[in-house]
Amino acid sequence: MLATRALRLIGKRAISTSVCVRGGHGVAKVEDYTLPAYFDKREEPLPDICYVQTLSPEQKSLKEKEMGSWASLSNDEKIALYRISFKESFAEMNHPTSEWKSVLAGMFFLIGFTGFVVLWQRKYVYGDVPHTFDPEYKAKELQRMLDMRINPVEGFSAKWDYENKQWKK
């Protein structure tokens, strides 16, 4: 019984892996994001691959020279060898960019656009201020709350002198 289960499992795996590899439509394609990529980052100074993947004849001869003594190489050749492996040096990576200007401009644009939306809403979306915000209505409301003696222990009815008809001092 155990042997039949093991053989079934092996058979299913063999079938499933062969179907996955073939996919019914030939060999599966390797996606670009699964391959090593080149990035210039200060946090990771050594990228996975070299910057230049296909070498020109001049670069190939330079690579052959690289195998020998570095004292025989000129400074220009050393720089060319460096540029085969890396796109930018640390000084070039640390060089400030002007990106902050575009970020600041985008922020000001969005803040200004938001201001225009608020003004448009005040004019066309919202109605007039309700009558409950009028000072006369507020005074009547206050008088009614005092007459009803709302919250007499700690509220503002406790701060009203009912005998003298004025606020307590």
Side-chain angles (χ1 to χ4, degrees):
M1 184 165 157
L2 184 62
T4 57
R5 283 190 179 178
L7 288 175
R8 262 193 228 143
L9 181 64
I10 292 171
K12 284 181 182 177
R13 286 200 177 200
I15 291 171
S16 67
T17 55
S18 63
V19 169
C20 288
V21 170
R22 283 188 237 130
H25 303 287
V27 178
K29 179 181 176 266
V30 176
E31 298 296 330
D32 290 338
Y33 59 83
T34 61
L35 300 174
Y38 179 84
F39 294 106
D40 271 331
K41 293 185 194 174
R42 286 180 285 168
E43 298 85 25
E44 300 172 16
L46 297 172
D48 296 335
I49 57 174
C50 290
Y51 176 62
V52 178
Q53 292 296 312
T54 55
L55 299 175
S56 68
E58 299 166 354
Q59 292 170 336
K60 286 180 184 175
S61 67
L62 226 93
K63 279 290 204 183
E64 291 297 323
K65 272 183 156 179
E66 180 186 24
M67 302 297 178
S69 172
W70 276 65
S72 63
L73 293 174
S74 68
N75 282 340
D76 291 335
E77 290 173 334
K78 291 177 186 175
I79 291 172
L81 279 171
Y82 182 83
R83 293 296 179 191
I84 290 172
S85 298
F86 304 101
K87 180 181 177 188
E88 294 179 332
S89 66
F90 272 99
E92 292 168 342
M93 279 189 265
N94 293 334
H95 186 71
T97 62
S98 298
E99 185 181 7
W100 67 273
K101 296 175 187 175
S102 59
V103 169
L104 197 64
M107 286 173 42
F108 283 143
F109 173 77
L110 290 175
I111 290 170
F113 181 73
T114 304
F116 281 124
V117 168
V118 167
L119 291 174
W120 177 81
Q121 285 180 341
R122 281 189 181 174
K123 181 156 176 80
Y124 296 107
V125 176
Y126 302 130
D128 294 333
V129 177
H131 71 282
T132 55
F133 284 104
D134 291 339
E136 299 148 2
Y137 185 87
K138 288 286 187 188
K140 288 179 187 177
E141 183 182 29
L142 176 64
Q143 186 60 47
R144 179 168 176 184
M145 291 173 86
L146 288 173
D147 291 344
M148 292 171 60
R149 295 181 186 248
I150 291 179
N151 207 0
V153 177
E154 292 181 359
F156 59 80
S157 290
K159 297 175 182 132
W160 180 257
D161 188 3
Y162 284 96
E163 294 172 1
N164 298 330
K165 303 274 186 195
Q166 64 182 5
W167 295 105
K168 292 180 182 176
K169 294 182 178 162

